[in-house]
Amino acid sequence: MSESDNKFLELAAPGVRSLHPYLPGKPVEALERELGISNALKLASNENPFGPSPLALAAAQSVLPEIARYPEGSGHQLAARLAALHGIAPECITLGNGSNDVLDLVARVFLTPDHEAVFSQHAFAVYPIVVQAVGARARVAQAGPGYSHDLEAMREQVTADARVVFVANPNNPTGGWLAAAALEAFITDLPAYVMVVVDEAYFEYVVEEDYPDTTQWLARFPNLIVTRTFSKAYGLAGLRVGYAVSHPDVAGLLNRVRQPFNVNLVAQAAALAALDDRAHISMSVERNREGMGQLLAGFADLGLEWIASVGNFVAVDA
């Protein structure tokens, strides 16, 4: 059925009528059937090729007999463990069905058709989706050199109607990143009425010394929301678990609209155990660093151009 034939289209919320949904990469099995191939390697979603920690797998398996019951609605244990990890109060944590879920919560809480959100031209595809879905207006800043975030251009897009600014650091899909001093100055210069979301989905992979851990900035920036995920370095993409850290008052608002069982029982157990296996994370990060070096050397030998990346992916002009 074409969109013009959809008799329910006029009943939908204005922001949804022209919205194009996020299209994830095809599953490996579907691609192999379509192309008649086998042993395909999927690179499109930046998943950890080493999979989850053995501790996470064991924890997930251990709770399977309990899946007839709902999970603990507030995710108390996981929230407390994350709070301890970041040195903050548990009241600062909002759990999500992946960090995408938290981004949607931010849009639902802080954006209306009267408001605007700002993000960079080449940033995570979910930002425009969650903004448009609630009927808010998107203001897209032109990218800087190397398709990077141009913070000055983004600041120029912030008007009196702006309520949210999305910053991906490292950026997806380019792999570029912002140093601590530049990002701190940008947040400092934003009006207090603007919530700034720093999306750190690939945080664990970054080894640069001046890359910031913005979860440690909450005391200075009450309008800061930092999102993280277990889908990348922790290898739990299939279980969908992420979270945000923010001022307790902000987290309280996000948790008002969060579904009570949005992180399932198995995901909570696996995430808790994954946090305890630092060796697995260290191995994944080191092997990623080695693999990135191998790829870049190959690109150079072939005379190809690429965008410098600090994630577990790299954009190359092939």
Side-chain angles (χ1 to χ4, degrees):
M1 178 186 293
S2 68
E3 186 172 286
S4 61
D5 295 330
N6 190 335
K7 62 183 178 181
F8 297 105
L9 186 63
E10 64 181 24
L11 302 179
V16 176
R17 292 173 192 167
S18 59
L19 185 65
H20 297 285
Y22 180 84
L23 295 177
K26 291 183 180 180
V28 170
E29 297 82 0
L31 186 64
E32 289 180 340
R33 287 196 304 270
E34 181 179 315
L35 299 179
I37 61 176
S38 59
N39 301 317
L41 298 176
K42 181 184 176 186
L43 303 178
S45 300
N46 308 333
E47 296 138 328
N48 185 343
F50 303 107
S53 157
L55 297 182
L57 286 175
Q61 292 168 348
S62 72
V63 299
L64 289 178
E66 304 298 323
I67 61 174
R69 300 186 181 276
Y70 288 105
E72 205 282 314
S74 66
H76 174 78
Q77 282 186 289
L78 181 55
R81 181 71 175 80
L82 290 168
L85 175 68
H86 296 295
I88 57 179
E91 291 76 19
C92 296
I93 301 293
T94 303
L95 297 179
N97 185 235
S99 57
N100 285 16
D101 189 26
V102 180
L103 299 173
D104 180 67
L105 296 180
V106 171
R108 290 167 59 195
V109 169
F110 293 105
L111 294 174
T112 75
D114 295 326
H115 296 129
E116 298 173 344
V118 176
F119 47 85
S120 185
Q121 180 183 11
H122 302 291
F124 189 30
V126 167
Y127 304 156
I129 291 175
V130 298
V131 171
Q132 185 175 335
V134 297
R137 300 183 299 276
R139 294 183 65 89
V140 182
Q142 291 294 309
Y147 305 95
S148 63
H149 282 57
D150 184 333
L151 294 179
E152 183 176 343
M154 293 180 68
R155 179 63 183 88
E156 291 174 355
Q157 293 293 332
V158 176
T159 70
D161 293 329
R163 290 297 179 272
V164 177
V165 172
F166 292 101
V167 179
N169 195 34
N171 188 37
N172 174 15
T174 67
W177 60 286
L178 298 166
L183 183 56
E184 183 178 17
F186 174 73
I187 298 173
T188 300
D189 191 46
L190 288 175
Y193 59 80
V194 174
M195 306 304 301
V196 55
V197 179
V198 180
D199 181 352
E200 296 180 345
Y202 298 90
F203 173 87
E204 290 79 11
Y205 283 111
V206 187
V207 296
E208 275 66 18
E209 291 184 359
D210 57 351
Y211 173 77
D213 176 359
T214 56
T215 66
Q216 302 305 300
W217 295 0
L218 293 181
R220 290 186 292 130
F221 299 114
N223 59 330
L224 174 63
I225 302 171
V226 184
T227 62
R228 298 274 182 91
T229 185
F230 286 84
S231 295
K232 305 305 180 186
Y234 287 100
L236 297 178
L239 288 180
R240 310 304 300 126
V241 53
Y243 65 99
V245 299
S246 62
H247 186 281
D249 291 346
V250 174
L253 292 171
L254 297 176
N255 282 318
R256 289 187 188 188
V257 296
R258 180 184 66 85
Q259 294 298 311
F261 306 114
N262 65 334
V263 180
N264 69 67
L265 179 72
V266 180
Q268 289 187 37
L272 272 168
L275 289 170
D276 290 329
D277 195 346
R278 303 310 304 173
H280 183 76
I281 292 294
S282 296
M283 178 275 295
S284 297
V285 171
E286 178 59 22
R287 294 292 297 275
N288 181 74
R289 187 190 64 78
E290 294 171 355
M292 182 69 76
Q294 183 180 12
L295 283 173
L296 299 189
F299 297 160
D301 289 343
L302 294 171
L304 301 176
E305 296 183 357
W306 66 91
I307 302 173
S309 172
V310 294
N312 66 334
F313 57 95
V314 58
V316 58
D317 186 358

